[in-house]
């Protein structure tokens, strides 16, 4: 029997799409890639995933795991051959259980991130991963790409939030590693291999995640600073002054504020006069009576006196807090409205961030004068989205044509400062050559060895993360 016939025997009607029905699964979020597919499988059980993978392995057919399709590097899009099977996890979407006493929750891969957050809150607990796309991204994708977001400073990345994993291997075996243990020193961290592997080693079907005490009080401020150097100095002060209750510290350049006020309805400048840079910072505590606002006001006041902060406003209500966050969260959308641009996702040690921005901005001014720099994001993690935006009326195609040259300069600079060319967006298809260029040779060889060991026939998300063949 051919593979499609075998798959029809495994999956119920409606769980196998072919032809036109595959369309929504063939283009990535940024529209960088348009693939074709043999079919799209939408299994509803781990057993069905296992049988689908065993059949594909036997037939040597590539499988492309697909979550909420919000990734930035094309990791969930099939290639152009039309021979690969897309495996969408969206129907594998149960919360299997919440253990409030253990501060843990078990969710299937297709659960929306927001649903996981809600399930935790329903049990009086907090799941801290927080991203702009949380209403559409799936936890399986968050795990497979080791997602970051706006709370990494306090809680770490997705990898840091995992206790156990259930994974279907390329040959259909199920690795049941769904432990809920915080201590388990039993050999190699096999489960850890699948986090950030972008579906190239197996398919994550469920995870047991760490929960935290529910956040009962927050204090949020939008502060103007002269430059990223002042932002980094302010972060160090606030960490100490707040007893490390700081959960977000995000950089917003003036241009980002201008683009959001221009393109996103309802956004206004929270401060009276313009400033070159801003930070959005938030403190959070599980204690309802914690005087966080007073603490933040005092710390920002001292920073103002010391010349680190130029002006600041505190959110006085949930509505004001949401308005401040909306500025930060709609920057990518505002950029899309403004026109074509070049995106980079770099990280360096926080201490090296000011030098990165100074030298990176200098290089852009000298070499790509038609572009405007819009460097924003997770300063607290040393991670900036160091993007270039065309000037109004400028030729967008001409800017895009410079992509390779700009990428090389900025990635070389990040790496020379001890940084990474992919802080939180992963490798996917987009950055395979970058990984080959920057990963230490020994590490790359080990990655290939792991790939061969777990996926000897090369069926798992071929051509993503590592070049296939
Ligand atoms: C963000 O932090 O907003 C995203 O990771 C990057 C982006 O959407 O450009
Ligand atoms: Zn980000």
């Amino acid at each position: 029997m051919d593979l499609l016939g075998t798959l029809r025997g495994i999956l119920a009607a409606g769980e196998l799409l072919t032809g036109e029905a595959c369309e929504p699964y063939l283009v990535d979020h940024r529209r960088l890639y348009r693939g074709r597919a043999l079919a799209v499988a939408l299994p509803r059980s781990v057993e069905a995933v296992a049988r689908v993978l065993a059949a594909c392995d036997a037939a040597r057919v590539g499988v492309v795991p697909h979550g909420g399709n919000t990734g930035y590097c094309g990791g969930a899009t099939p290639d152009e051959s039309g021979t690969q099977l897309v495996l969408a996890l969206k129907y594998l979407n149960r919360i299997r259980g919440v253990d409030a006493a253990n501060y843990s929750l078990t969710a299937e891969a297709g659960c929306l991130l927001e649903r996981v957050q809600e399930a935790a809150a329903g049990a009086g607990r907090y799941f801290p991963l927080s991203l702009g796309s949380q209403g559409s991204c799936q936890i399986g994708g968050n795990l497979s790409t080791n997602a970051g977001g706006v709370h990494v400073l306090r809680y770490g990345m997705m990898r840091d939030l995992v206790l156990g994993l259930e994974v279907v291997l390329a040959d259909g075996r199920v690795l049941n590693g769904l432990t809920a243990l915080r201590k388990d020193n039993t050999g190699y961290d096999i489960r850890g291999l699948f986090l950030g592997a972008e579906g190239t080693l197996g398919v994550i079907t469920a995870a047991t995640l760490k929960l935290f005490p529910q956040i009962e009080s927050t204090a949020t401020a939008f502060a103007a600073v002269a430059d990223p150097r002042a932002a980094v100095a302010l972060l160090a002060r606030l960490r100490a002054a707040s007893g490390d209750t700081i959960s977000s510290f995000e950089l917003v350049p003036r241009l980002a504020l201008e683009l959001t006020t221009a393109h996103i309805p309802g956004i206004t400048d929270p401060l009276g006069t313009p400033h070159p840079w801003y930070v959005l910072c938030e403190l959070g505590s599980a204690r309802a009576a914690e005087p966080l606002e007073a603490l933040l006001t005092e710390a920002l006041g001292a920073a103002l006196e010391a010349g680190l902060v130029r002006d600041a406003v505190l959110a006085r209500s949930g509505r004001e807090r949401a308005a401040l966050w909306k500025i930060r969260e709609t920057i990518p959308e505002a950029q899309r409205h403004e026109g074509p641009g070049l995106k980079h996702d770099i990280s360096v040690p926080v201490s090296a961030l000011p030098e990165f921005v100074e030298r990176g901005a200098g290089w852009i001014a000298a070499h790509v004068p038609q572009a405007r720099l819009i460097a924003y994001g997770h300063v607290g993690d040393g991670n900036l989205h160091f993007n270039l935006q065309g000037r109004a009326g400028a030729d967008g195609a001409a800017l895009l044509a410079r992509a390779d040259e700009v990428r090389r300069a900025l990635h070389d600079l990040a790496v020379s400062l001890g940084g990474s060319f992919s802080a939180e967006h992963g490798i996917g298809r987009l950055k395979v050559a970058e990984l080959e260029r920057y990963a230490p040779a020994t590490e790359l060889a080990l990655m290939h060895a792991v790939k061969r060991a777990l996926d000897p026939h090369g069926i798992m998300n071929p051509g993503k993360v590592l070049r296939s063949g």
Side-chain angles (χ1 to χ4, degrees):
M1 203 193 301
D2 70 349
L3 179 66
L4 280 180
T6 308
L7 294 177
R8 280 195 191 97
I10 298 169
L11 299 162
E15 292 174 13
L16 190 69
L17 311 177
T18 53
E20 284 289 292
C22 297
E23 186 57 30
Y25 300 88
L26 304 181
V27 181
D28 72 298
H29 175 69
R30 289 175 63 191
R31 304 194 166 272
L32 297 175
Y33 303 106
R34 159 168 288 280
R36 292 167 58 226
L38 175 68
V40 176
L42 297 140
R44 287 176 189 271
S45 70
V46 177
E47 193 209 337
V49 175
R51 293 178 64 198
V52 167
L53 285 198
C56 289
D57 198 40
R60 308 289 192 262
V61 164
V63 177
V64 182
H66 190 96
N69 202 23
T70 59
Y72 271 53
C73 299
T77 306
D79 69 12
E80 292 78 15
S81 69
T83 61
Q84 300 181 331
L85 179 79
V86 174
L87 183 74
L89 281 304
K90 69 177 183 188
Y91 292 149
L92 204 69
N93 60 4
R94 281 184 314 130
I95 299 286
R96 291 197 193 157
V98 185
D99 183 344
N102 192 54
Y103 278 77
S104 64
L105 169 158
T106 301
E108 292 182 342
C111 284
L112 296 181
L113 171 54
E114 205 165 71
R115 171 95 185 81
V116 172
Q117 294 166 340
E118 286 163 7
R125 299 290 180 257
Y126 179 60
F127 183 64
L129 192 78
S130 177
L131 318 171
S133 59
Q134 61 201 23
S136 48
C137 64
Q138 295 170 15
I139 201 76
N142 300 147
L143 292 154
S144 296
T145 59
N146 185 29
V150 294
H151 291 149
V152 173
L153 171 61
R154 172 104 161 254
Y155 298 97
M157 292 181 69
M158 189 69 231
R159 182 175 275 139
D160 304 302
L161 302 173
V162 177
L163 296 173
L165 273 192
E166 177 186 82
V167 183
V168 179
L169 302 180
D171 61 8
R173 280 177 299 163
V174 179
L175 174 70
N176 187 352
L178 272 183
T179 62
L181 304 174
R182 279 177 172 72
K183 296 189 120 176
D184 182 20
N185 258 351
T186 50
Y188 301 151
D189 181 10
I190 295 295
R191 276 164 259 160
L193 289 173
F194 298 93
L195 302 168
E198 303 185 37
T200 60
L201 300 178
V203 177
I204 296 173
T205 46
T208 301
L209 305 170
K210 284 184 200 169
L211 302 181
F212 294 82
Q214 183 66 276
I215 296 297
E216 299 292 352
S217 56
T218 56
T220 311
F222 193 75
V225 291
D227 49 29
R229 199 167 288 281
V232 166
L234 177 63
L235 170 65
R237 269 173 169 254
L238 285 182
R239 287 192 66 172
S242 71
D244 238 354
T245 54
I246 184 156
S247 51
S248 296
F249 195 85
E250 298 282 315
L251 189 70
V252 177
R254 176 71 198 170
L255 177 59
L257 181 58
E258 284 171 3
L259 295 191
T260 55
T261 51
H263 296 296
I264 312 290
I267 292 191
T268 51
D269 184 345
L271 298 171
T273 49
H275 296 275
W277 297 88
Y278 307 90
V279 293
L280 174 61
C281 59
E282 187 160 279
L283 311 184
S285 169
R287 279 189 296 236
E290 190 96 326
L292 292 182
E293 276 196 13
L295 213 149
L296 189 54
T297 307
E298 194 183 316
L300 288 173
L304 203 86
E305 264 172 40
L308 270 185
V309 165
R310 295 179 157 193
D311 195 2
V313 61
L314 246 79
R316 296 291 175 196
S317 65
R319 214 166 46 85
E320 285 184 14
R321 175 178 176 237
L324 293 181
W325 271 107
K326 192 170 173 186
I327 297 171
R328 165 62 187 91
E329 279 170 353
T330 56
I331 296 173
E333 188 187 334
Q335 274 186 281
R336 275 196 297 280
H337 288 297
E338 181 73 3
L342 302 177
K343 282 179 179 285
H344 309 91
D345 171 38
I346 64 87
S347 64
V348 292
V350 174
S351 49
L353 207 101
E355 182 177 352
F356 179 87
V357 178
E358 283 155 18
R359 290 174 58 186
W363 189 90
I364 291 165
H367 295 89
V368 202
Q370 76 269 33
R372 295 172 293 172
L373 173 63
I374 172 160
Y376 68 92
H378 323 292
V379 178
D381 317 325
N383 172 199
L384 286 184
H385 302 305
F386 209 78
N387 299 344
L388 278 71
Q389 189 77 43
R391 289 188 189 278
D395 178 1
L399 175 61
L400 297 186
R402 309 277 307 273
D404 289 352
E405 182 196 343
V406 176
R407 181 188 308 126
R408 185 58 56 243
L410 294 178
H411 289 175
D412 279 358
L413 177 60
V415 170
S416 77
L417 292 173
S420 169
F421 64 91
S422 185
E424 62 169 5
H425 292 167
I427 304 296
R429 180 167 165 182
L430 185 66
K431 295 185 183 170
V432 171
E434 299 300 281
L435 185 69
E436 286 172 344
R437 179 184 172 94
Y438 294 113
T442 312
E443 193 170 326
L444 200 58
L446 286 174
M447 286 193 205
H448 279 286
V450 169
K451 171 77 175 169
R452 278 194 302 275
L454 293 181
D455 179 22
H457 303 132
I459 66 152
M460 289 311 314
N461 215 0
K464 313 291 170 43
V465 182
L466 300 175
R467 204 174 292 276
S468 45

